[in-house]
Amino acid sequence: MKKLALDDTILLKIEKPARYLGNEINAVQKDKSRIDVRFCMCFPDVYEIGMSHLGIQILYDMFNQREDVWCERVYSPWVDLDQVMREKKIPLFALESQDPVKSFDFLGITLQYEMCYTNVLQILDLSGIPLFARERGEEDPIVIGGGPCACNPEPLADFFDLFYIGEGETSYYALIDAYKEHKKAGGSRKEFLLKASQIPGIYVPSLYTVTYHSDGTIASMEPESPLTPSKVQRQAVTDLTHTFYPEKPLVPFIKVTQDRVVLEIQRGCIRGCRFCQAGMLYRPTRERDLEMLKESAKKMLKATGHEEISLSSLSSSDYSRLPELVTFLLESFGAEGVNISLPSLRIDAFSLDVMSKVQDIRKSSLTFAPEAGSQRLRDVINKGLTEEVILEGAGAAFEGGWNKVKLYFMLGLPTETEEDQKSIAWLAEKIAKRYYEIPKDQRNGKCQITVSTSFFVPKPFTPFQWARMCTREEFLDRAHRVNMEIKDQLNRKSIKYNWHEADVTVLEGVFARGDRRLSSLLLKAYEKGCLFDSWTESFHNERWMEAFTETGTDLSFYITRERKPEEVFPWDFIDSGVTKKFLYREWEKAREEQVTPNCRMQCQGCGAGRYQSGVCLERS
């Protein structure tokens, strides 16, 4: 029996001690004496969130398929254990071996959300690893970041040795091989970083020099060595069927956010919504083979004992073999009591038919994401969804027995007017009215419509990366206007309204498009006690505002100014496949309220064709 890093007296005092025990079903144990490279995979949030993330499961399985590598895991200790570890000087440890994170060769941190950035510093701090990459010695792990937020790694550049740009299945083995060779040769840390920078998709911040104009914008970003590329190529898997996918996913001891088998059916999205970073970053749309998905479903359900399987995709309705896949899952596992979850569906006749088979209609709700209330603004964002389609879908759902609908919108979108904001309430009212047009004896009780608005954040590698962002006050004014308009509707008792926190959104916007000068702001906020900023109970906006003041960071520079066409962005050194020229063309079309057809209807020459994969090959 392995020795636990935490004794019983500590475990009994903290919330959910099972977060830190390890030894879950399908966790991998290896003989350390037979291992060449130890990799600690970190999700900088609480265990329940991290264990629900498919990307970690894929990489964990991929690394551990190698006999010379042992990949373990670590998550952010919740605030109660964080305090105990600091008081008792207990170093942060990996779950599988309970060994200190500092003793590993690599610490890989996935960056899923900007508001987890202070947790990155927590991980390094509790591990005893110097926060700044420049202060690390030969005995410290190589700290590497990846995930969607690595598409603009610059706010974290000073704290990471490396970043992996793109999908992890492509270049990680090459990085491990290079490290093994370096270790065997007895090379220095600096020599390894230079060698790593030459591997496709690997970015080494310390090997680049950034200069600035007098107005604070970037003048240039140049590599210091001729061996280091000026552009880092985003990595993408070209064949999703014949690549890594876990057959035995980890099964947690406690309930987590997504306590189910996750079946990723495709990557990317054909739709081209102009606000959506994932839809641009993960181009081209690539599907997994139907037979591969069938086999994966069988193996994962058997290996985990889960009673639910979720089909994961940005737009599940666009998967070409969805009818066959759903029929297979229903026929194979429906009788065994396995539930099937179908997120990201467009509300059409097929989708409603499928959902009626897999859901308890009286308990479940349908989700629509119109994103904008008016047709004009939906055209601006290229949503490709008309009011007629929305009302037809809602009507068909109501007639099929549903009476609960969730509607998701954004506030603060480019070109948004007061009328666009009020249109959110008007659309909700039209949907409620459609329900009450059904004869009373045929209705399923009272209609329940939940309207939720998030606040728009312009993201890198989207057509809206040039857009200004609203201030906290502007966001709240918009939410108040929508709230008042909903209260004026005839069917207001059937409509509930929720909105996101404006303070958190503003900070997300700062770090989404920020540069490496933000490291001082992030460090100051962390020193003031900012941690778990994505959790309402842990978020302290006043501490962040103090950090802005004390570091002299100009909030308006990062959020409220519209970027000029020629501005050099902090992320311009990354070649994402989708060209900046295409994105700016879409930005101009947005302001002209022009709609762009989806990828299957018409190729727009976005640049993703260079990957020679997925929908791009279908068209050719």
Side-chain angles (χ1 to χ4, degrees), residues 305-438:
H306 280 310
E307 296 178 341
E308 183 174 345
I309 186 164
S310 176
L311 305 187
S312 172
S313 168
L314 291 174
S315 179
S316 299
S317 299
D318 293 322
Y319 178 63
S320 63
R321 306 296 298 277
L322 188 64
E324 297 99 312
L325 178 59
V326 171
T327 299
F328 167 79
L329 295 174
L330 287 170
E331 291 177 351
S332 301
F333 309 115
E336 299 173 19
V338 174
N339 295 320
I340 301 170
S341 173
L342 293 158
S344 307
L345 281 178
R346 297 172 78 83
I347 306 302
D348 53 26
F350 166 72
S351 300
L352 292 170
D353 179 57
V354 169
M355 284 187 278
S356 68
K357 295 175 182 174
V358 303
Q359 294 183 357
D360 182 340
I361 291 174
R362 289 188 172 272
K363 292 182 180 178
S364 63
S365 60
L366 285 178
T367 300
F368 292 82
E371 309 294 1
S374 69
Q375 191 58 51
R376 186 199 73 80
L377 196 51
R378 282 195 294 276
D379 290 344
V380 168
I381 65 177
N382 205 45
K383 182 61 185 175
L385 195 61
T386 65
E387 186 170 292
E388 181 184 10
V389 169
I390 294 169
L391 295 177
E392 280 182 5
F398 293 149
E399 287 164 6
W402 275 277
N403 68 341
K404 302 186 189 91
V405 174
K406 293 179 181 177
L407 299 171
Y408 288 100
F409 299 91
M410 280 185 286
L411 285 172
L413 287 161
T415 79
E416 184 181 271
T417 65
E418 287 191 18
E419 184 172 335
D420 294 322
Q421 295 153 25
K422 291 179 179 179
S423 293
I424 292 173
W426 302 340
L427 182 57
E429 170 66 17
K430 288 173 185 174
I431 292 172
K433 183 181 177 183
R434 177 67 183 83
Y435 180 79
Y436 291 114
E437 287 172 355
I438 298 172

Side-chain angles (χ1 to χ4, degrees), residues 4 62 180 183 190 287 292 337 342 441 536 543-544:
L4 283 173
M62 181 186 86
K180 278 183 64 176
K183 198 175 178 183
K190 191 171 182 180
E287 296 188 350
M292 175 262 181
L342 293 158
D441 61 338
T536 302
R543 297 178 187 174
W544 275 101

Side-chain angles (χ1 to χ4, degrees), residues 34 107 134 139 143 246 253 294 390 456 490 500 577 591:
R34 298 172 180 266
L107 170 59
R134 62 178 177 269
E139 299 304 312
V143 181
F253 287 135
K294 288 179 180 179
I390 294 169
F456 166 68
L490 181 65
H500 193 57
R591 290 183 289 186

Side-chain angles (χ1 to χ4, degrees), residues 544-585:
W544 275 101
M545 293 304 104
E546 289 171 6
F548 272 96
T549 301
E550 291 174 23
T551 58
T553 305
D554 183 1
L555 188 63
S556 63
F557 175 82
Y558 291 102
I559 62 166
T560 56
R561 65 185 181 88
E562 183 174 314
R563 274 60 168 169
K564 295 176 181 177
E566 66 276 8
E567 180 167 338
V568 175
F569 294 136
W571 53 91
D572 275 353
F573 71 92
I574 296 174
D575 182 349
S576 73
V578 175
T579 65
K580 195 173 183 181
K581 183 178 178 181
F582 165 76
L583 293 174
Y584 193 77
R585 190 163 72 239

Side-chain angles (χ1 to χ4, degrees), residues 170-208:
T170 55
S171 290
Y172 256 126
Y173 274 14
L175 182 67
I176 295 294
D177 291 337
Y179 181 77
K180 278 183 64 176
E181 184 182 321
H182 151 81
K183 198 175 178 183
K184 188 176 180 181
S188 69
R189 187 184 193 89
K190 191 171 182 180
E191 287 169 339
F192 172 69
L193 294 179
L194 180 60
K195 184 181 292 185
S197 73
Q198 298 158 54
I199 297 172
I202 302 298
Y203 166 54
V204 183
S206 62
L207 299 181
Y208 293 78

Side-chain angles (χ1 to χ4, degrees), residues 165-286:
I165 310 298
E167 297 169 0
E169 297 97 325
T170 55
S171 290
Y172 256 126
Y173 274 14
L175 182 67
I176 295 294
D177 291 337
Y179 181 77
K180 278 183 64 176
E181 184 182 321
H182 151 81
K183 198 175 178 183
K184 188 176 180 181
S188 69
R189 187 184 193 89
K190 191 171 182 180
E191 287 169 339
F192 172 69
L193 294 179
L194 180 60
K195 184 181 292 185
S197 73
Q198 298 158 54
I199 297 172
I202 302 298
Y203 166 54
V204 183
S206 62
L207 299 181
Y208 293 78
T209 300
V210 184
T211 59
Y212 301 90
H213 293 298
S214 58
D215 65 357
T217 59
I218 293 173
S220 68
M221 181 174 178
E222 301 293 338
E224 296 177 355
S225 166
L227 297 175
T228 303
S230 58
K231 284 272 189 181
V232 178
Q233 301 285 330
R234 179 183 73 89
Q235 299 301 290
V237 179
T238 55
D239 181 359
L240 276 184
T241 297
H242 302 98
T243 187
F244 301 96
Y245 203 75
E247 294 181 356
K248 296 181 177 181
L250 291 152
V251 182
F253 287 135
I254 58 176
K255 186 171 179 57
V256 297
T257 309
Q258 293 192 32
D259 220 349
R260 61 187 75 113
V261 162
V262 179
L263 198 61
E264 184 189 41
I265 59 177
Q266 64 182 12
R267 279 186 199 165
C269 180
I270 62 171
R271 298 290 161 180
C273 296
R274 292 174 180 135
F275 60 84
C276 182
Q277 186 182 57
M280 296 292 168
L281 273 184
Y282 294 105
R283 291 188 173 205
T285 304
R286 293 146 289 154

